[in-house]
Amino acid sequence: MELPNASLQQPQKTTDIEIPVLRIQEYRWDTPEEIQKSVYGLYQYAESGAISSISWYGKNKKSKARFSRTLRASAIILTTLGGLTPIISSMGGLTVKLMDDKLTLYIGQLGYLFLGLAASCIAFDRFFGFSSGWMRYISTKMTLERALSEFRLDWAMMLAKLGNNPPNTEQVQHMIRRLKDFLVLINNNVEQETLTWVAEFKTNLAEIEKTAKTQSAASRPGAIAVTLTNGMETEDGFTVTLDGMDIRVVHGTKYQVGYVPPGTHKVSVRGRINGEILDASELVNVAAGEMAAVTLALPVAQAQP
């Protein structure tokens, strides 16, 4: 009985794992020639299926590796830049004037942007599974290659034991069992890799949904209740300012600033009393979805006795 031709070991190029069609009804087991041809056909079926799987993992791991390296390298570079920008800023770093000098951008502020982009690269890689998929593909490909090598050697030993004699019924059954065990091993490894991907994707999707809900809750705008104790004493009311931006001129003592992002903000008031422009300010922390309160008073000079 002859070894299979080596030309059969070249898989066809395909975007999917190509599973050969097993037409069992075409195999005959009556004469020694038919038995030899049928066993050889089963060997071709098993080997070509394994080669197709190995070729698929070998080809598709390249794109996984490319995206993984790009995203991880970008994350490293951006993290480094994010760490360096505060140092550059502390050494008298550059400032950039924007919008006709109405807005000043300090170089140290870019550190947060770089760190945010680095985190986005890592999150993108994790969600789409480029790095983990790359590792899975390499591991699965090596496992399949090892299984194929062992199968070929075992088959060669069985053929060597037969010599030029056709296999008897017991030997044929033994060879078919070896083919079955090999195919089950190949399919189990492919199935396990796929199930691992499905579990990983579901986990990542659940984490992203959880993170999105957490971030949505944490970013709900709050409000600030501003009270100016001597607001009634002002001439033509007082101006409420939030983080350097004038909000409104208020006549009275109270005003509520709505839709304020969570975080620390500077609340200022400015008004005229007795012909003198006075101002007062205070930092206030706004929690997500909650209202903060701040009470201020314009510093009116005491009349001299």
Side-chain angles (χ1 to χ4, degrees):
M1 195 169 184
E2 297 179 355
L3 283 168
N5 195 312
S7 63
L8 298 173
Q9 299 176 8
Q10 300 298 326
Q12 297 180 352
K13 292 184 179 180
T14 176
T15 56
D16 299 316
I17 296 179
E18 187 175 316
I19 305 300
V21 178
L22 180 60
R23 298 183 175 87
I24 196 68
Q25 70 276 5
E26 297 181 359
Y27 296 120
R28 297 291 182 266
W29 311 91
D30 298 326
T31 65
E33 291 77 11
E34 290 177 340
I35 292 175
Q36 180 174 349
K37 183 178 179 180
S38 297
V39 172
Y40 176 49
L42 290 175
Y43 176 90
Q44 286 182 306
Y45 169 78
E47 185 186 49
S48 59
I51 292 175
S52 177
S53 298
I54 293 171
S55 176
W56 187 89
Y57 282 107
K59 181 176 65 175
N60 286 275
K61 74 178 179 67
K62 295 179 181 179
S63 61
K64 294 281 187 181
R66 182 171 62 254
F67 281 111
S68 173
R69 289 167 176 164
T70 300
L71 290 171
R72 292 292 172 170
S74 299
I76 292 173
I77 294 172
L78 290 169
T79 301
T80 303
L81 291 175
L84 289 176
T85 46
I87 300 176
I88 297 174
S89 178
S90 65
M91 297 171 61
L94 301 175
T95 59
V96 180
K97 299 291 185 179
L98 302 175
M99 299 175 60
D100 297 330
D101 295 341
K102 294 181 179 179
L103 178 63
T104 301
L105 176 64
Y106 295 93
I107 194 68
Q109 296 173 334
L110 294 177
Y112 299 105
L113 174 62
F114 292 142
L115 293 176
L117 291 174
S120 298
C121 288
I122 295 175
F124 194 84
D125 178 33
R126 184 176 180 182
F127 177 74
F128 288 99
F130 293 121
S131 294
S132 59
W134 180 23
M135 296 300 102
R136 284 200 321 274
Y137 283 13
I138 291 176
S139 177
T140 302
K141 180 175 181 291
M142 293 177 63
T143 301
L144 297 182
E145 288 175 337
R146 182 174 65 252
L148 179 60
S149 297
E150 293 176 354
F151 169 71
R152 283 170 169 169
L153 290 174
D154 290 345
W155 195 263
M157 286 189 293
M158 288 187 287
L159 295 182
K161 188 175 182 179
L162 291 175
N164 294 323
N165 301 318
N168 55 37
T169 302
E170 182 178 353
Q171 291 171 328
V172 169
Q173 292 178 348
H174 175 69
M175 297 173 81
I176 293 177
R177 279 196 298 269
R178 182 65 183 92
L179 287 167
K180 177 185 175 181
D181 293 340
F182 173 64
L183 287 174
V184 169
L185 177 61
I186 295 297
N187 293 333
N188 284 345
N189 277 277
V190 174
E191 182 181 4
Q192 183 60 43
E193 189 278 325
T194 304
L195 292 176
T196 301
W197 172 80
V198 172
E200 178 183 298
F201 183 80
K202 288 182 177 179
T203 300
N204 291 339
L205 188 60
E207 288 182 359
I208 286 181
E209 291 178 351
K210 181 179 179 181
T211 301
K213 290 180 180 179
T214 302
Q215 291 180 346
S216 177
S219 60
R220 286 184 303 162
I224 302 176
V226 182
T227 301
L228 183 62
T229 57
N230 53 354
M232 296 298 295
E233 302 175 19
T234 60
E235 303 170 10
D236 298 326
F238 62 92
T239 302
V240 177
T241 302
L242 180 65
D243 297 328
M245 180 182 295
D246 291 346
I247 303 299
R248 188 172 181 177
V249 176
V250 180
H251 298 275
T253 59
K254 297 181 181 295
Y255 180 72
Q256 181 177 311
V257 183
Y259 297 98
V260 180
T264 302
H265 300 274
K266 183 179 180 181
V267 178
S268 304
V269 293
R270 183 178 68 256
R272 183 189 300 270
I273 297 179
N274 299 326
E276 183 180 2
I277 298 178
L278 306 172
D279 61 77
S281 62
E282 185 173 324
L283 294 177
V284 57
N285 185 56
V286 179
E290 298 183 5
M291 179 180 292
V294 58
T295 301
L296 299 168
L298 293 176
V300 181
Q302 297 294 328
Q304 296 294 330

